[in-house]
Amino acid sequence: MALVKNQTLISHFILLGLFNDTPLHLLLFSFIIVMFLVAFSGNGLMILLINADSRLHSPMYFFLSWLSLMDLMLISTIVPRMAIDYLLGHGSISFTGCGLQILFFVTLLGDECFLLAFMAYDRYVAISNPLRYSVIMSRRVCWLMVALCWLSGLLDGLIQAIYTLSFPYCGSQEIDHFFCDIPAVLKLACADTSLYETMIYVCCVLMLLLPFSIISISYLLILITVLRMRSAEGRQKAFATCSSHMAVVSLFYGAAMIAYMQPQTYHSSKQDKVVSAFYTMITPMLNPLIYSLRNKEVAGALMKLLGRCPCGGGQV
């Protein structure tokens, strides 16, 4: 193998996992598997309901179906691999496997950042300009927005995955994390990564602040519109249509900003694992619950689907 400063380049990494620091590792593992099953089934059911019920064929639910797909893919990128590593007793992952995990993870995070921004803009148009809503948020515009989300996320993912694995890695193979998170991987590089880490920090700040600015402006304009409404019922309905999205935005951006906008000198390994677990597992689990519990149309579509099922015991 090639040598760098008399050190042998490593050919694979070892993920130390999420459970190595706790005596309750079996309980924690069981809890994460339950979260994965809830998130997988919840997001899968949300996609099924939106596509099956014609009442949910609106731009808001179109975006929600893509959010559910992204959440489903995100948790599937992390948890199954982590579960296999735990059951086998080791976390060996190849360079290629690590690169693919970085690619999918960064791509999906970027996708969600921009999709949540477009969902906020959709709510602004629906509340502030309802008469032209169907024209402004046409099917073509919605597809272009989703395509822009995927292209921007994929570009960011490709750049970060390629640059991260372009460094020589030697010495320790152990990544103190439960997946190939870029800051944890770069700690093993036997080259100066300070410039690249600064570039990643700036990139992450921009990827978070740009869509978050769109969300903030959209909700500021929504607030101004709602305060001008004379009808108390109209104000209540407007706030109700935004509350679910605001809860999802708070969960996602809160965790992401702690993880990526805080300088690395203030980070600890345990903190990074906890925050990463929040937006890779807990948020994908909570998103479909938030939208289904607070949304009568989704609940109605679920009742309609259960009514069609032979075990539902009746017709709708």
Side-chain angles (χ1 to χ4, degrees):
M1 299 180 71
L3 297 178
V4 177
K5 294 184 179 180
N6 298 323
Q7 289 184 299
T8 305
L9 293 178
I10 59 179
S11 59
H12 65 279
F13 298 111
I14 298 174
L15 295 168
L16 295 183
L18 187 61
F19 316 107
N20 57 328
D21 295 328
T22 172
L24 301 175
H25 54 88
L26 184 58
L27 180 62
L28 182 59
F29 172 76
S30 302
F31 182 63
I32 286 175
I33 293 301
V34 170
M35 283 199 301
F36 172 75
L37 293 175
V38 171
F40 195 91
S41 58
N43 286 292
L45 181 61
M46 188 68 72
I47 295 170
L48 175 63
L49 291 175
I50 291 171
N51 284 279
D53 196 313
S54 59
R55 294 174 299 177
L56 302 182
H57 292 176
S58 66
M60 181 179 77
Y61 293 109
F62 174 77
F63 290 132
L64 180 56
S65 67
W66 280 104
L67 178 66
S68 294
L69 178 62
M70 291 171 186
D71 279 339
L72 194 152
M73 292 175 67
L74 179 61
I75 199 168
S76 298
T77 300
I78 305 299
V79 176
R81 168 85 206 193
M82 182 175 61
I84 292 172
D85 291 344
Y86 175 78
L87 294 173
L88 294 178
H90 64 81
S92 178
I93 184 170
S94 66
F95 258 70
T96 302
C98 192
L100 287 173
Q101 198 172 57
I102 291 172
L103 171 63
F104 284 121
F105 174 72
V106 175
T107 297
L108 291 166
L109 278 189
D111 291 346
E112 289 206 25
C113 282
F114 285 99
L115 185 65
L116 289 171
F118 288 136
M119 290 175 75
Y121 176 74
D122 169 72
R123 292 298 81 208
Y124 159 69
V125 176
I127 293 172
S128 301
N129 203 348
L131 297 179
R132 300 193 64 235
Y133 176 64
S134 60
V135 177
I136 298 173
M137 298 301 297
S138 65
R139 197 70 174 174
R140 180 173 176 271
V141 170
C142 292
W143 274 108
L144 285 173
M145 287 179 170
V146 170
L148 182 60
C149 290
W150 281 103
L151 286 173
S152 58
L154 182 60
L155 179 62
D156 187 34
L158 281 170
I159 291 172
Q160 295 205 36
I162 291 171
Y163 268 91
T164 299
L165 295 187
S166 67
F167 289 101
Y169 292 89
C170 48
S172 176
Q173 299 171 282
E174 297 181 342
I175 300 175
D176 192 8
H177 217 293
F178 57 91
F179 69 97
C180 287
D181 193 31
I182 292 177
V185 173
L186 289 176
K187 290 178 181 178
L188 307 183
C190 48
D192 183 14
T193 62
S194 56
L195 178 60
Y196 177 56
E197 289 183 51
T198 302
M199 290 174 60
I200 289 178
Y201 177 74
V202 173
C203 179
C204 288
V205 169
L206 291 175
M207 286 288 287
L208 286 170
L209 287 186
L210 178 60
F212 189 73
S213 298
I214 296 173
I215 294 171
S216 301
I217 292 171
S218 296
Y219 276 112
L220 177 61
L221 295 174
I222 287 172
L223 181 62
I224 293 172
T225 302
V226 169
L227 292 177
R228 289 175 178 172
M229 292 180 178
R230 296 181 180 180
S231 168
E233 183 181 351
R235 287 196 295 269
Q236 185 177 1
K237 185 177 179 180
F239 281 126
T241 60
C242 297
S243 59
S244 297
H245 182 257
M246 291 174 68
V248 170
V249 167
S250 300
L251 288 172
F252 180 82
Y253 276 92
M257 285 181 175
I258 292 173
Y260 295 105
M261 291 184 66
Q262 189 178 25
Q264 286 297 316
T265 52
Y266 295 96
H267 283 231
S268 68
S269 176
K270 288 184 178 180
Q271 176 193 331
D272 289 344
K273 289 182 182 181
V274 170
V275 175
S276 297
F278 191 88
Y279 63 76
T280 58
M281 288 178 272
I282 298 176
T283 301
M285 178 190 70
L286 292 178
N287 285 354
L289 296 177
I290 291 171
Y291 276 102
S292 60
L293 292 175
R294 298 183 62 87
N295 193 301
K296 293 180 180 179
E297 291 177 323
V298 174
L302 178 59
M303 292 300 102
K304 183 179 178 181
L305 182 67
L306 292 175
R308 290 176 181 172
C309 180
C311 60
Q315 298 288 327
V316 174

